[in-house]
Amino acid sequence: MRRALALLAFGGVLAAPAYGDQHGDALAWMQKMASAAQKLNYTGTFTYQSGGNSETSRITHLVDAAGEQEKLEVLDGSPREVVRSNDEVKCFLPDDKLVIVEKRGRYKAFPALLPASVSTLGEFYLIRLGDVSRVAGFDSQLILLEPKDTLRYGRHLWAEINSGLILKARTVNERNETIEQFAFTQLQINVPINKEALKPRFAAESTAWRIHNAQASQSLSAGGGWLFKAQLPGFKKSAGMKRQASQGGTAETTHFIFTDGLSSISLFIEPLADRKAEQATYSVGAINVYKRATDNHLLTVLGEVTMASLMRLGDGMELSHQAMRCQVGR
């Protein structure tokens, strides 16, 4: 009965009537939300839920003359910390005595989920305002993003009324089922941030740890010998790179990233060599995964989008004739 009442209540939010120029108002809200996550000082605790998994993290974000600094601590299970200074990101994994260093990717972490410019999102999502409700003790405005096609998932975003900071974010599938959710449980906005709070707990001992530089060994401006024969409307290739598969090895993994500004797809291509691979589809929480073998390579396509999107992109991949000739001539 409680579940039924909750569904009815949620349905009421989705059926909220429109007032005024909702599309314009909603876009203005989204632009405010995108700016807030980058330009405000805030610190708080949030929960992440996906499938049957739940995790609690603490985030501290500071903006000053030096730019953006941020620290994310995972509070459940194995200790992990992610510390960012502008574009440089360091991930501390104490159980493995490992520090991963890389430039900030195009993936957006909570609460900085939105791109700097949100104007193009209206081409692929119906964007409208929902109800005003309370989240983590703050009044919040609900913004609903409903996909106009079957290629992407819907998003429900709750923004703090005054600042625009995202307090809660929900991803829903084509059946309007929640598949992923972030939500602040405790938050302070526009408060003084002590820089000491941004220092990693493991910095002193990490000098004896292994350091892995995750920078790409080669950036790809084009397809790296691969043809993309099936285009996904709205999704653009935002990055392409090659990385050494293992230290001292000769095999390379090619990685492409596609995004519509909100949803992202990663495509990994690696040589099969003597391995066998069968076509497969599966899900890990909110992430769908599609694998197929072609031209003696294994393609792995994954992202928080519908399986139809992944299969359309993966099935449209083909090694160019020139690249195939180069392989044969090796």
Side-chain angles (χ1 to χ4, degrees):
M1 177 62 73
R2 290 182 180 178
R3 180 174 296 181
L5 290 173
L7 287 172
L8 287 171
F10 185 58
V13 172
L14 292 180
Y19 298 101
D21 182 8
Q22 278 236 325
H23 180 72
D25 290 345
L27 278 178
W29 264 103
M30 290 186 63
Q31 196 62 63
K32 183 178 181 179
M33 294 154 69
S35 176
Q38 299 176 7
K39 297 181 178 180
L40 294 177
N41 290 350
Y42 51 88
T43 182
T45 303
F46 65 86
T47 58
Y48 167 70
Q49 295 174 307
S50 178
N53 298 318
S54 178
E55 192 172 79
T56 304
S57 299
R58 179 168 51 237
I59 189 169
T60 303
H61 183 267
L62 169 68
V63 180
D64 60 14
E68 281 187 85
Q69 298 178 64
E70 186 175 273
K71 178 181 175 182
L72 178 68
E73 306 168 79
V74 178
L75 304 179
D76 301 329
S78 300
R80 285 163 285 156
E81 287 186 339
V82 179
V83 179
R84 178 170 68 89
S85 178
N86 294 318
D87 287 337
E88 184 182 70
V89 178
K90 293 183 178 180
C91 180
F92 295 81
L93 304 174
D95 285 355
D96 299 317
K97 298 294 189 248
L98 176 66
V99 182
I100 300 174
V101 183
E102 61 181 334
K103 290 294 183 181
R104 186 184 189 187
R106 295 180 182 269
Y107 173 76
K108 300 291 184 179
F110 182 79
L113 299 172
L114 297 174
S117 175
V118 300
S119 58
T120 60
L121 292 179
E123 296 181 37
F124 309 103
Y125 297 88
L126 174 63
I127 306 171
R128 60 189 180 88
L129 299 181
D131 286 349
V132 173
S133 60
R134 295 276 286 172
V135 176
F138 295 89
D139 289 332
S140 68
Q141 171 65 59
L142 171 62
I143 293 89
L144 301 163
L145 293 93
E146 300 168 358
K148 296 180 179 180
D149 53 34
T150 59
L151 300 177
R152 58 208 98 216
Y153 287 143
R155 306 292 179 106
H156 303 166
L157 306 174
W158 285 261
E160 198 270 318
I161 286 288
N162 296 314
S163 67
L165 187 69
I166 297 178
L167 303 177
K168 183 177 176 179
R170 177 181 292 163
T171 302
V172 296
N173 63 17
E174 54 268 44
R175 296 179 298 278
N176 204 39
E177 299 167 337
T178 299
I179 56 175
E180 181 182 64
Q181 179 170 286
F182 295 88
F184 275 111
T185 56
Q186 178 274 328
L187 176 67
Q188 293 177 289
I189 304 174
N190 277 333
V191 294
I193 301 292
N194 188 335
K195 285 193 173 185
E196 291 295 315
L198 293 160
K199 293 183 178 180
R201 277 194 301 146
F202 309 103
E205 58 186 273
S206 67
T207 54
W209 293 5
R210 290 178 296 122
I211 298 178
H212 173 66
N213 192 320
Q215 303 304 319
S217 59
Q218 178 184 352
S219 295
L220 300 174
S221 57
W226 287 88
L227 302 177
F228 302 89
K229 304 186 77 172
Q231 300 298 318
L232 300 179
F235 284 90
K236 297 180 179 179
K237 183 163 68 71
S238 60
M241 62 209 79
K242 283 190 176 182
R243 288 194 173 98
Q244 204 71 26
S246 59
Q247 188 171 2
T250 57
E252 287 183 319
T253 298
T254 301
H255 181 199
F256 294 104
I257 301 173
F258 302 82
T259 181
D260 67 355
L262 184 60
S263 301
S264 295
I265 300 173
S266 280
L267 168 63
F268 296 91
I269 306 171
E270 54 184 317
L272 268 178
D274 297 328
R275 294 177 298 164
K276 292 183 179 181
E278 296 182 358
Q279 183 170 309
T281 60
Y282 58 92
S283 300
V284 181
I287 298 175
N288 286 322
V289 183
Y290 174 53
K291 291 189 174 187
R292 71 178 284 254
T294 183
D295 299 318
N296 202 34
H297 285 77
L298 175 64
L299 308 185
T300 303
V301 197
L302 59 91
E304 291 183 349
V305 296
T306 63
M307 191 67 75
S309 294
L310 303 182
M311 296 182 72
R312 183 169 168 179
L313 180 63
D315 289 343
M317 294 294 298
E318 183 180 286
L319 195 61
S320 68
H321 293 303
Q322 182 178 2
M324 291 180 70
R325 286 197 298 270
C326 290
Q327 282 197 339
V328 172
R330 286 179 180 175

